[in-house]
Amino acid sequence: MLNSIIAPMFEVEAVEGEDDELEEDTTMNPVEKYNVFADFELYHTYGLAEERMFYHSIATGYVLGSGHLGHAVGHFDLFEINEAGDEVTLIRKMNEDTHYDAVQEVRGTDDWEEKIIQYMLESVEAVEELFFKYTEGVEETEISFDGQTFTVYPVEMDGRIHYFKEGEGLWMKYYNDQATIEFHGEAQQATRILNR
């Protein structure tokens, strides 16, 4: 764990040859390069919209994400970063409505984020879900939405792809899992709100 780290369907194509022109900064790890913990808001017409603001705990080394799911429910995620700074794992998650009393007890206090982290570590069931992973050999790709094209890094997991834009964080989530297809009738994407 690192204490110091803080639409219509789209088209995808590989980006080649860019690393010949610029020498890569070897002092920056992938979590920093892609600014994985940049605050974000993703748009989706139904259910998959979400927002996260991040708090980096110096005391524990964890990162707390707080925001909403589908504009309907407050939500908290707790993340762990590996030592190499190339992988981020979601280790706890909770909705505010199911932990309402605990959240209300600490909300508004000076160190409420640290208290939520401690509560989640002690009282919320552990999970292990990939959020970001940098893999050598995986190339950046281009995605298009809202009439614009963006170069992003894809992180594939079971039935889902997270796309991270260098220096700007999570740009899009693409859902191709069976539950999403059964519910919506086709794969779905939640895209970054550009003019926040």
Side-chain angles (χ1 to χ4, degrees), residues 12-15 24 30-31 33-36 85-87 130-143 150-157 160-174:
V12 177
E13 61 183 61
V15 176
E24 188 173 334
V31 168
K33 177 179 178 179
Y34 290 100
N35 200 6
V36 171
D86 61 6
E87 185 171 326
L130 184 65
F131 182 72
F132 173 86
K133 182 176 184 176
Y134 181 79
T135 304
E136 289 289 336
V138 173
E139 295 181 349
E140 289 187 336
T141 188
E142 289 185 347
I143 59 172
F150 308 96
T151 301
V152 290
Y153 183 79
V155 179
E156 295 191 38
M157 53 207 75
R160 197 167 69 235
I161 305 172
H162 291 177
Y163 292 95
F164 291 86
K165 190 170 188 303
E166 184 173 343
E168 299 188 41
L170 184 63
W171 215 246
M172 184 170 73
K173 285 186 178 182
Y174 177 70

Side-chain angles (χ1 to χ4, degrees), residues 3-18:
N3 289 333
S4 62
I5 298 181
I6 337 270
M9 297 314 280
F10 60 92
E11 299 172 8
V12 177
E13 61 183 61
V15 176
E16 299 177 15
E18 292 183 2

Side-chain angles (χ1 to χ4, degrees), residues 45-85:
T45 54
Y46 182 80
L48 298 176
E50 62 180 288
E51 177 184 38
R52 290 294 177 285
M53 292 162 285
F54 294 100
Y55 168 79
H56 308 263
S57 172
I58 301 302
T60 66
Y62 295 113
V63 177
L64 177 68
S66 61
H68 71 74
L69 293 175
H71 300 289
V73 62
H75 185 81
F76 297 92
D77 291 321
L78 191 60
F79 298 95
E80 184 174 54
I81 307 163
N82 72 348
E83 287 291 339

